Amino acid sequence: MDVTLTYYGKLVEVVGKSKEVLDVEAITIQELVIWLENEYPDLKKLSLKIAQNNTIGELEDEITSKNIDIFPPFSGG
Amino acid sequence: MKRYSRHITLSEVGLIGQLKIAESKVLVIGAGGLGAPLLLYLNAAGVGTIGIVDFDTVSLSNLQRQVLFREQDLDLNKADIAKELLSARNSELNIKSYPVALTTSNALEIIKPYDIVVDCTDNFRTRYLINDACIKLNKPFVFAAIYKFEGQLSVFNYAGGPTYRCLFPTPPKAGEVPNCEEAGVMGVLPGILGTYQANEVLKMILNLGEVLSGKLVSINLLTNQQNSFQFRRNESLVKQVIEEDLSYIELNDCNINA
């Protein structure tokens, strides 16, 4: 299944793109985090949240949505 | 009441709604990019009591986005000058300035008299402190934060809804997330987010529409895309905050510089 990852905020600069498509089968959010940290070691140091179907779920949730959003906290005001 | 006639004409507001606005007490923490438009709109709307907390002074590089301030306000305390500027625009309201930093020792005392808190700060240390103090005092708070061309918006701790810690349990490490000074920021971005915050404040006062609780809205000015992410309250985390002292929490999970 093709899944589109959309990055927000500083993550766009860290991974060098705002979107990418991954071909995955039956993986969990936790497994996606491991893939992200292997692909982009600089992400290991950052706080981030992962949402699918516009909902932030648990790490053990299986990815069923074709659209995944990955965002950090912002601090500016 | 003539000045509020365009509100009163709205059947959803009316005279009773306008009186609710007049009776409301809103505390704005941070009179910067987010705080400037927020304060102007709350003041124009007739919010009866507005508290403004800011320890900082106006600097030249603030004027690109902090539209409340003028060149003649340079080097003056932001809370004090904001009070003066707002009083000149709407002299009927009670406006109180707190020209101090919000700390673990004064947060509960400052926040306590207010109905709604608005987080317009620019650092994680104060954001987590506001979150924890609002949990302890059972106050809702309207959150916004910005990065370059993107913003995040939510209402936390509203009617048993989730809090900022339910989204991001602990503060990021020092230097992990750049602020406006380090990263730069499009001047209209806090203008838009601060105005959204004012809208949520007024919706809460008037009990109108759907308050942005349990959802984080993400806004990108370059693509005009808005996304909304649902999240749940973490009851055990909230309970820990209720049980521990603010200073204990800050010492133990907040190793960042404000």
Side-chain angles (χ1 to χ4, degrees), chain B residues 56-129:
Chain B
D56 205 3
T57 55
V58 179
S59 64
L60 190 60
S61 65
N62 293 155
L63 301 184
Q64 163 254 19
R65 64 195 181 287
Q66 300 181 16
V67 294
L68 188 57
F69 305 123
R70 308 158 301 177
E71 288 179 1
Q72 69 215 67
D73 304 325
L74 291 174
D75 300 323
L76 299 175
N77 174 266
K78 290 184 182 178
D80 286 340
I81 193 68
K83 177 187 165 165
E84 196 181 309
L85 291 168
L86 295 179
S87 299
R89 286 168 179 269
N90 195 339
S91 57
E92 296 166 348
L93 308 179
N94 176 24
I95 302 166
K96 190 166 166 47
S97 67
Y98 303 83
V100 297
L102 195 78
T103 65
T104 53
S105 46
N106 66 17
L108 295 174
E109 189 190 339
I110 290 176
I111 292 172
K112 203 173 182 184
Y114 293 89
D115 310 317
I116 298 170
V117 177
V118 194
D119 173 3
C120 299
T121 60
D122 63 355
N123 65 86
F124 286 112
R125 187 178 187 163
T126 317
R127 291 189 186 285
Y128 280 83
L129 175 58

Side-chain angles (χ1 to χ4, degrees), chain B residues 88-226:
Chain B
R89 286 168 179 269
N90 195 339
S91 57
E92 296 166 348
L93 308 179
N94 176 24
I95 302 166
K96 190 166 166 47
S97 67
Y98 303 83
V100 297
L102 195 78
T103 65
T104 53
S105 46
N106 66 17
L108 295 174
E109 189 190 339
I110 290 176
I111 292 172
K112 203 173 182 184
Y114 293 89
D115 310 317
I116 298 170
V117 177
V118 194
D119 173 3
C120 299
T121 60
D122 63 355
N123 65 86
F124 286 112
R125 187 178 187 163
T126 317
R127 291 189 186 285
Y128 280 83
L129 175 58
I130 293 169
N131 183 75
D132 298 344
C134 284
I135 288 174
K136 286 180 177 298
L137 295 167
N138 196 23
K139 310 275 184 191
F141 75 104
V142 183
F143 161 90
I146 53 176
Y147 181 76
K148 289 187 173 181
F149 301 94
E150 291 173 69
Q152 294 174 340
L153 177 76
S154 191
V155 176
F156 294 123
N157 205 40
Y158 175 74
T163 78
Y164 190 49
R165 278 190 194 274
C166 305
L167 189 60
F168 293 107
T170 52
K173 289 179 254 347
E176 182 184 317
V177 181
N179 59 26
C180 296
E181 189 181 332
E182 294 150 357
V185 63
M186 190 68 164
V188 297
L189 176 66
I192 291 168
L193 270 294
T195 306
Y196 267 112
Q197 286 180 295
N199 184 47
E200 291 303 315
V201 169
L202 292 168
K203 278 162 62 186
M204 287 159 76
I205 294 169
L206 295 166
N207 201 19
L208 272 186
E210 203 177 295
V211 172
L212 192 60
S213 169
K215 285 179 202 162
L216 181 81
V217 165
S218 173
I219 297 169
N220 184 325
L221 294 194
L222 295 183
T223 58
N224 282 319
Q225 274 217 319
Q226 283 200 19

Side-chain angles (χ1 to χ4, degrees), chain A residues 7-10 12-13 19 45-49 51 54-56 58 69 71-77, chain B residues 33-34 121-124 127 145-148 150 152 164 167-168 176-177 216 218 227-230 232:
Chain A
Y7 300 103
Y8 293 78
K10 194 189 172 187
V12 175
E13 290 145 56
K19 278 179 195 289
K45 292 175 280 178
L46 302 181
S47 312
L48 53 85
K49 278 283 158 190
N54 292 318
T55 304
I56 299 163
E58 308 298 329
D69 295 287
F71 57 90
F74 295 167
S75 83
Chain B
L34 294 167
T121 60
D122 63 355
N123 65 86
F124 286 112
R127 291 189 186 285
I146 53 176
Y147 181 76
K148 289 187 173 181
E150 291 173 69
Q152 294 174 340
Y164 190 49
L167 189 60
F168 293 107
E176 182 184 317
V177 181
L216 181 81
S218 173
N227 293 293
S228 150
F229 307 116
Q230 288 185 48
R232 283 193 298 269

